[in-house]
Amino acid sequence: MASLRQYAARVLIKAAVAFSGRKSYVNIDTTYGNYTFKLTDTFLSQLMNSVSWSKYTESMLVGLYHNTPEVYSAVHQRAFRVSNGRWIVRKSSNDEVVYDNKYLNALMSRPNPMQNWQELIYEMVAYKCVTGNNFLYANAPDLLAFNYKNISTIWNLFADVVMIKQKSVIKWLSATTIDDLINGYEVNGVNIPSNKVLHIKYANLNASDLKLRGISPLQGASPAHDNLKAVWKARNVVYTKGGALGFISSDKSDADGTASLTPDEVSEINKHYSDTYGLDGTKTAVGVVKAPVRYTKIGASIQELQPFDETEAAASAVYAVLNVPRSLMPRKEGATYENAKQDEVSFYRNIVIPEALSIAQSITNFFKLDEAGLYIDVTFEHIEVLQENKKEKAEVDKANTDSWHKQFLSGVITLNDWRVNMGAEKVTGNKMYDKLLYDMTPEELSIVETISKLLKGGSSGNNQNVQNNDAGTQQQGN
């Protein structure tokens, strides 16, 4: 028995050495006559390091976006929602919407001959998600001042081929403008000055890149991309029969044992299989042959491969790195309506709206709209799922207003306390707003009575009524 153990140990050692090439990766414990084979931490580390994932360039990620449905779907979830906002121009002084600016109206209705504004924004978000960068180019004359009035068209450059021409010597910590860091951009041999390009990017923590170029979050899902490609390939092999799924062999026998199929029988079976067997409308799903045969399976079926589970797991990783809720991901078991609705609202609040507002602010700065007292804004008031949330908020606001009204009439809070609870600013210059009900003069009580009657009327705009009456009262107090 001891010799058998020794032989088994030697076999295992040879296997480990053959894999690793080093005996130091193996420990043999012979205490009390037992032969224990253990891989060292060094060997296990080497084994894990041997598992490598593909390194994806920006151009390869663009290819994944176009050729892998799970990647395209996740990117589309973000890009479509951001671009579907209502993009408007406002005055900086009072937030009033501007409708008659001919320069911005032209750019925001047809930014270039091939796109409308929504398509341009969609492409911006898609490029940023896929490559980690978006380069918005403004076509403006070199001899004129660069601002929105002199911009004729705007385009998203092909982000994966844009080269950032960094300076040979970069004083990064003392730089105050982008021109302190780069000499502009180059696209397919065309040089573009830095002031004509708005570069929006994801964070890049690699010191060697000096924060000049972003990194796509899809880089963090490299294992998922590799697995998705492998799963789709495996499914294609099974469906298109790219390789033997099994063997047909003779089931004939005679006095001497099993008899082989004759060449004519093999030829006949192959011809019958090719001509009459199949899953389309012109062929039969059952094959019939004259010779007795048996089938030996060597391939795996779709059920055995379980590609759908792996596809869902890999797609979840892609959705996760792009901060898209899993409930929006196509899968075998869909999310419940309530979960999907809550995730949709959260997606808009935490990802879509902040990203849209960030883009709007970046374009405002790029166009130098602040010099004209303007800014670009984006709203999502027309989105149905957010409207349902507004209804819930209105019901809560009404309940709070009723509560504050009762507290005020009970002499617990002042009008200014009420306003602060509503999220409004305190009124200054009118002492009535800092008095409890019992400290007010008859004239002030008359005004309060008018407000109370309006609130008891059950108007849906309770908060607005209070604010409007407060404004009128403030004017009288002044």
Side-chain angles (χ1 to χ4, degrees):
M1 181 63 69
S3 61
L4 179 60
R5 288 175 178 169
Q6 291 174 349
Y7 174 75
R10 285 197 299 271
V11 170
L12 291 173
I13 292 173
K14 288 181 179 179
V17 171
F19 183 85
S20 65
R22 296 182 61 181
K23 292 184 178 180
S24 59
Y25 288 157
V26 183
N27 284 339
I28 302 296
D29 182 9
T30 59
T31 307
Y32 306 113
N34 295 322
Y35 289 81
T36 303
F37 174 87
K38 183 177 73 172
L39 300 179
T40 66
D41 291 340
T42 306
F43 175 78
L44 294 175
S45 175
Q46 181 76 9
L47 177 63
M48 292 304 297
N49 289 335
S50 69
V51 180
S52 60
W53 308 108
S54 300
K55 303 296 183 182
Y56 289 88
T57 65
E58 292 181 10
S59 295
M60 292 169 67
L61 291 173
V62 171
L64 279 177
Y65 166 74
H66 287 297
N67 300 317
T68 308
E70 292 81 6
V71 175
Y72 171 83
S73 174
V75 173
H76 175 76
Q77 297 284 4
R78 284 185 63 154
F80 173 76
R81 285 170 174 78
V82 172
S83 65
N84 197 37
R86 288 179 176 168
W87 297 75
I88 54 181
V89 180
R90 296 184 186 273
K91 291 182 179 179
S92 303
S93 57
N94 56 12
D95 298 327
E96 178 185 343
V97 178
V98 176
Y99 297 101
D100 58 353
N101 189 300
K102 64 178 183 179
Y103 302 102
L104 293 174
N105 286 349
L107 283 175
M108 296 180 71
S109 62
R110 181 63 66 178
N112 61 65
M114 298 181 65
Q115 293 176 311
N116 59 35
W117 186 261
Q118 281 67 34
E119 291 170 332
L120 181 84
I121 298 297
Y122 183 104
E123 194 177 57
M124 287 183 70
V125 178
Y127 265 130
K128 182 185 174 187
C129 288
V130 174
T131 69
N133 303 272
N134 184 73
F135 301 89
L136 183 68
Y137 167 70
N139 180 19
D142 294 331
L143 299 179
L144 298 178
F146 183 84
N147 58 51
Y148 73 97
K149 292 183 179 180
N150 295 322
I151 298 174
S152 56
T153 57
I154 48 179
W155 297 84
N156 291 308
L157 301 177
F158 300 107
D160 57 316
V161 299
V162 173
M163 185 176 71
I164 302 174
K165 301 169 64 178
Q166 68 181 59
K167 291 184 176 293
S168 56
V169 178
I170 296 180
K171 297 180 179 180
W172 185 65
L173 296 178
S174 62
T176 57
T177 68
I178 190 65
D179 291 328
D180 294 331
L181 301 173
I182 67 174
N183 292 319
Y185 305 87
E186 182 180 326
V187 183
N188 295 329
V190 178
N191 293 315
I192 303 174
S194 60
N195 70 310
K196 292 187 178 182
V197 175
L198 170 62
H199 182 195
I200 300 175
K201 61 184 181 298
Y202 273 104
N204 182 346
L205 303 185
N206 293 329
S208 59
D209 292 329
L210 295 175
K211 301 181 183 292
L212 295 180
R213 197 174 193 96
I215 292 182
S216 169
L218 290 178
Q219 294 283 10
S222 293
H225 304 323
D226 288 351
N227 291 346
L228 281 171
K229 290 189 295 184
V231 168
W232 279 108
K233 183 177 181 180
R235 287 159 75 171
N236 178 262
V237 167
V238 172
Y239 283 127
T240 60
K241 301 179 178 61
L245 299 179
F247 288 105
I248 296 174
S249 58
S250 173
D251 201 28
K252 297 187 301 181
S253 61
D254 54 23
D256 296 327
T258 303
S260 301
L261 293 170
T262 67
D264 290 341
E265 288 173 331
V266 172
S267 177
E268 182 183 353
I269 291 173
N270 280 330
K271 185 177 186 304
H272 180 77
Y273 180 84
S274 302
D275 293 347
T276 64
Y277 175 74
L279 297 179
D280 60 27
T282 64
K283 297 184 178 182
T284 177
V286 179
V288 180
V289 295
K290 295 179 181 179
V293 296
R294 63 172 175 264
Y295 177 74
T296 304
K297 179 183 174 183
I298 62 171
S301 66
I302 287 292
Q303 290 76 15
E304 291 168 329
L305 288 172
Q306 295 184 324
F308 302 106
D309 293 337
E310 176 54 38
T311 297
E312 185 171 319
S316 296
V318 174
Y319 270 63
V321 297
L322 290 176
N323 292 312
V324 179
R326 286 188 60 193
S327 60
L328 301 179
M329 182 182 74
R331 51 183 176 172
K332 291 188 297 184
E333 298 177 1
T336 64
Y337 173 76
E338 283 302 319
N339 286 343
K341 185 177 71 172
Q342 292 172 3
D343 287 345
E344 180 89 356
V345 172
S346 177
F347 187 38
Y348 269 103
R349 284 183 170 178
N350 300 324
I351 304 298
V352 174
I353 295 177
E355 182 168 18
L357 291 174
S358 176
I359 291 174
Q361 181 62 54
S362 295
I363 296 177
T364 295
N365 296 337
F366 183 50
F367 286 177
K368 298 185 178 180
L369 295 182
D370 54 327
E371 297 177 0
L374 303 171
Y375 71 94
I376 292 177
D377 192 18
V378 55
T379 69
F380 293 86
E381 298 174 351
H382 59 294
I383 303 300
E384 184 176 353
V385 70
L386 299 180
Q387 293 297 331
E388 295 179 12
N389 194 58
K390 281 188 174 183
K391 180 180 179 182
E392 296 174 1
K393 182 178 182 300
E395 293 173 352
V396 172
D397 287 346
K398 183 180 184 305
N400 287 336
T401 298
D402 293 341
S403 174
W404 298 326
H405 181 208
K406 291 177 181 178
Q407 293 180 54
F408 172 71
L409 294 180
S410 301
V412 177
I413 62 174
T414 67
L415 285 174
N416 264 337
D417 293 333
W418 188 345
R419 289 179 61 85
V420 170
N421 288 335
M422 288 169 46
E425 295 182 359
K426 287 185 176 182
V427 172
T428 57
N430 190 334
K431 295 181 180 180
M432 183 187 78
Y433 281 80
D434 292 315
K435 294 181 180 179
L436 296 174
L437 183 69
Y438 306 120
D439 297 328
M440 291 185 176
T441 65
E443 292 79 8
E444 292 170 340
L445 289 173
S446 177
I447 296 172
V448 170
E449 183 179 2
T450 301
I451 298 174
S452 296
K453 287 180 179 179
L454 289 171
L455 290 174
K456 290 178 181 178
S459 170
S460 60
N462 286 333
N463 285 352
Q464 189 63 42
N465 285 334
V466 173
Q467 289 176 335
N468 289 342
N469 281 279
D470 285 349
T473 305
Q474 184 177 1
Q475 289 179 354
Q476 293 179 19
N478 293 336

